[in-house]
Amino acid sequence: KIGGDFINELKISLAAARVNAELSQREVAAALKIGKQTVLNWEKGKVAIPAFQLERLAELYQIPIENLRIGKR
């Protein structure tokens, strides 16, 4: 049985969220007015994501910010 607590704890990686939203790294970079390499670095956990950009990513990917898994795991 999958309960609400499980669903609330579900996390998705930045790359998976992007793919699920049917966006390329290039499209995300253009939407956020940043370089494609920055998106790649975020997805690999090499660079910290500023909070305001994290909010924009969640909106772009149409996923609650709490469900985004950030960094290497």
Side-chain angles (χ1 to χ4, degrees):
K1 179 179 174 183
I2 298 177
D5 290 337
F6 174 79
I7 298 299
N8 288 337
E9 292 180 18
L10 182 65
K11 302 265 186 200
I12 187 168
S13 71
L14 290 175
R18 176 181 52 75
V19 170
N20 190 55
E22 299 181 351
L23 295 168
S24 69
Q25 289 175 337
R26 188 176 311 277
E27 290 169 322
V28 172
L32 300 180
K33 296 179 174 51
I34 59 174
K36 180 183 161 211
Q37 188 65 41
T38 300
V39 176
L40 177 64
N41 287 337
W42 288 348
E43 289 183 357
K44 291 188 174 211
K46 291 183 176 182
V47 177
I49 305 171
F52 79 96
Q53 292 288 39
L54 191 55
E55 291 173 6
R56 293 176 71 194
L57 281 174
E59 288 174 18
L60 190 62
Y61 298 162
Q62 298 181 347
I63 185 172
I65 198 168
E66 299 83 19
N67 291 70
L68 287 174
R69 186 177 70 223
I70 309 305
K72 300 178 193 173
R73 291 196 189 178

